[in-house]
Amino acid sequence: MYAAKKILVPVDYSNTSRAALSAALQLAEDHDSELWLLHVVDGMDDALQSALDNLAEETGVSEVIEAAETSLLEATELERTRAREAGRTLSDRELKLRVTGGNWVDVCLQLIDDEQIDLVITATHGPKKGPLGKLLGTRSQKLLRESPCSIFIVKPKGYPYLRD
């Protein structure tokens, strides 16, 4: 039987991302898995992120990171509440939080490698419009192609509370 020991869920706070978080919480509960929550700040290049990481205490970046971590925890609690209302109780398992900048796919791949992630549960917002979007695909599709681990992709209408 397949059991994911470490699950990663990137969170961008969209409804679809919250559905991916819900699925991750449930699977982590079922498999007693370690759960990693990741929020990547778009547009922040790797060099700037490295400088900010090294100066976090002096520049106030630690407060920004703490605020993002609080948002991740609040999103998790909302999904636990939704699960409880649907008749499923989820434990308050410890979460591993990562807030960083850089290219979303590269950050995911690095975390998969660094932490030996078994499963990524991610949201897709659907294909980009136009010929370039069809050619390049979504970030989730790129992660699917490049990841060494299994990927579970949640579509926008994949969960009942998103169908309203």
Side-chain angles (χ1 to χ4, degrees), residues 65-121:
I65 291 172
E66 286 175 17
E69 288 175 346
T70 298
S71 294
L72 287 171
L73 293 172
E74 289 171 353
T76 301
E77 190 51 41
L78 174 62
E79 294 312 316
R80 285 183 176 137
T81 299
R82 287 178 170 171
R84 196 169 34 257
E85 290 170 356
R88 173 105 195 250
T89 302
L90 302 174
S91 65
D92 289 333
R93 71 180 49 256
E94 180 184 352
L95 302 170
K96 306 287 186 176
L97 306 177
R98 177 75 51 95
V99 176
T100 189
N103 176 285
W104 183 86
V105 173
D106 293 340
V107 170
C108 288
L109 290 171
Q110 188 64 54
L111 189 58
I112 290 166
D113 186 51
D114 290 348
E115 300 301 330
Q116 300 175 341
I117 301 293
D118 302 302
L119 176 65
V120 177
I121 301 176

Side-chain angles (χ1 to χ4, degrees), residues 7 9 14-28 30 79-80 82-83 86 88 90 119-124 152-164:
I7 299 172
V9 59
S14 65
N15 285 339
T16 311
S17 175
R18 290 177 185 271
L21 176 57
S22 177
L25 286 165
Q26 293 174 56
L27 285 171
D30 292 345
E79 294 312 316
R80 285 183 176 137
R82 287 178 170 171
R88 173 105 195 250
L90 302 174
L119 176 65
V120 177
I121 301 176
T122 187
T124 185
F152 179 122
I153 297 178
V154 176
K155 294 182 176 184
K157 296 186 180 187
Y159 278 73
Y161 67 85
L162 294 176
R163 293 184 188 142
D164 298 335

